[in-house]
Amino acid sequence: EIPWKDRSVDDLKKTLQMSGICGMGGATFPTHVKVSPPKEKKIDTLIINGVECEPFLTSDHRLMLESPETILQGAEILQKILGVQTCYIGIEENKPDAIELLREKTKGRSAMAVISLHVKYPQGAEKQLIKAITGREVPPGGLPMDVGSVVQNVGTAHAVCEAVTRNIPLIERVTTVTGFGIRQPKNLKVRIGTPLEFLISQCGGLTDHRVKVIMGGPMMGIAQHNLEAPAIKGTSGVLVFPLGDIFLEEEGPCIRCARCVDICPMNITPCHIATACEFEKFEEAEFYGAMDCIECGSCVYVCPTRRHLVHYIKFAKSVITARKRAAQSAEKK
């Protein structure tokens, strides 16, 4: 094991950058950037995200049970880089074995505390997790650093430890391969770039030739066109469902029921944003909070007319972002 406690913060950050460490919860944001907030943003809290609130996914749970010391050491390295004393490890109470194990392992680590959280989707999202653990509320359009917090996934903490103490870059991760279309659901340690077809073959193959394959969880995952797609750093799961198990009704018009508004964890109005996007009124979509959407899919889940709300909002976000970049480029010229 390579000593790290006497290494400089800049040296540790460089190691994370050269090792390709990124957010393992799905967003894959570069970790060396995330742990380098502007000087005016004072960070006092590190949160290690072990919530894993999406249905079917158990890769983080499995990692916490099998590599707790590696995760905790990775958290200590992140504490050193950020210069913070307080570290919380958030785990939902439907994982009592992981809570018990990590509480046992954190004895003697006075700066660390394992927090048991109520089971609630989408509690694994950064802003929701910060609110649940610290009571701090990230402002609209803001970032966790605006309330003195940095959130890292347990998989990221594990990868940080591997990179710093063993000089192993991020070349593999734990991935859940499951769903009603998989014969033998498993958690696999997967090399980045492995085709999904190979992962499925290691789980006994498909139960039906007509299936829907999703990379990620059922709420926020992305459907795949074929099984030649590779596993990437953010591939927390590969879900396979027979088409007969999927509700395929066509979307209908908005009936103004406001269920999407009631369920939205970000307190925005998905129905208005989607409608504005349909009519290419992207300024209006931004006004209604499109950029604050975390794409959790709760609105789609409760919509009685099956509107593709997240698809519309994703498109609106991409257009708004592209226009802002074009405007900035024009200003520089």
Side-chain angles (χ1 to χ4, degrees):
E1 185 173 297
I2 303 170
W4 61 271
K5 293 187 178 180
D6 294 328
R7 292 171 63 181
S8 70
V9 169
D10 288 340
D11 185 29
L12 292 172
K13 287 182 184 179
K14 188 68 174 177
T15 298
L16 301 189
Q17 181 180 7
M18 298 305 293
S19 300
I21 309 300
C22 65
M24 303 285 281
T28 64
F29 191 80
T31 301
H32 73 280
V33 176
K34 199 171 186 179
V35 297
S36 304
K39 290 183 179 180
E40 65 272 15
K41 303 290 185 182
K42 301 300 181 184
I43 307 299
D44 58 25
T45 302
L46 170 67
I47 296 175
I48 301 299
N49 185 351
V51 170
E52 195 169 42
C53 58
E54 280 233 47
F56 289 95
L57 301 185
T58 56
S59 55
D60 286 350
H61 187 187
R62 197 71 246 162
L63 188 63
M64 287 187 283
L65 293 178
E66 298 194 17
S67 302
E69 286 289 351
T70 308
I71 292 169
L72 295 179
Q73 192 168 9
E76 290 176 336
I77 294 167
L78 291 167
Q79 281 182 281
K80 176 179 173 66
I81 293 173
L82 291 165
V84 302
Q85 293 298 316
T86 305
C87 176
Y88 297 112
I89 303 165
I91 308 173
E92 286 192 337
E93 57 191 15
N94 61 353
K95 305 173 183 64
D97 47 358
I99 293 171
E100 181 182 357
L101 178 60
L102 284 172
R103 280 183 174 163
E104 179 66 29
K105 295 293 184 180
T106 52
K107 288 180 179 177
R109 290 178 163 102
S110 58
M112 288 187 179
V114 177
I115 308 298
S116 176
L117 300 166
H118 293 300
V119 179
K120 183 181 180 181
Y121 181 83
Q123 196 157 227
E126 286 188 333
K127 296 179 181 181
Q128 281 66 39
L129 186 57
I130 292 170
K131 179 70 181 296
I133 290 179
T134 69
R136 302 172 185 174
E137 192 162 343
V138 180
L143 296 170
M145 68 177 70
D146 295 325
V147 293
S149 303
V150 167
V151 181
Q152 297 284 4
N153 181 263
V154 289
T156 305
H158 182 276
V160 165
C161 181
E162 293 283 272
V164 171
T165 66
R166 299 179 62 194
N167 205 27
I168 299 176
L170 181 50
I171 57 173
E172 61 184 15
R173 65 157 298 143
V174 179
T175 296
T176 301
V177 183
T178 187
F180 304 121
I182 292 289
R183 294 186 184 279
Q184 300 167 5
K186 298 177 183 178
N187 281 301
L188 302 175
K189 185 172 280 188
V190 176
R191 284 288 173 93
I192 306 303
T194 304
L196 302 187
E197 185 175 20
F198 182 78
L199 304 185
I200 291 171
S201 72
Q202 298 303 298
C203 296
L206 303 173
T207 61
D208 193 317
H209 70 283
R210 294 180 68 252
V211 296
K212 183 171 186 176
V213 179
I214 300 171
M215 187 183 291
M219 299 295 287
M220 298 180 71
I222 305 296
Q224 303 299 301
H225 290 292
N226 58 60
L227 297 179
E228 295 176 4
I232 59 176
K233 294 178 182 180
T235 306
S236 54
V238 177
L239 307 186
V240 182
F241 299 105
L243 290 181
D245 294 338
I246 299 174
F247 193 71
L248 295 175
E249 185 178 337
E250 292 291 326
E251 71 169 332
C254 178
I255 60 174
R256 317 291 282 185
C257 66
R259 290 184 187 179
C260 61
V261 180
D262 290 338
I263 201 69
C264 179
M266 297 305 296
N267 297 317
I268 60 177
T269 53
C271 52
H272 287 160
I273 298 170
T275 300
C277 181
E278 283 185 278
F279 290 94
E280 299 185 3
K281 296 181 178 180
F282 298 107
E283 295 83 2
E284 188 175 317
E286 185 176 12
F287 173 79
Y288 283 120
M291 300 307 291
D292 285 323
C293 175
I294 60 173
E295 301 172 18
C296 67
S298 298
C299 55
V300 178
Y301 187 79
V302 301
C303 179
T305 62
R306 319 308 297 176
R307 290 187 80 199
H308 301 161
L309 296 166
V310 174
H311 289 90
Y312 290 126
I313 296 173
K314 280 186 176 182
F315 179 59
K317 289 167 74 174
S318 66
V319 173
I320 293 166
T321 300
R323 288 183 176 181
K324 286 182 176 179
R325 286 177 178 167
Q328 289 172 352
S329 299
E331 286 178 4
K332 290 178 182 180
K333 292 180 181 179

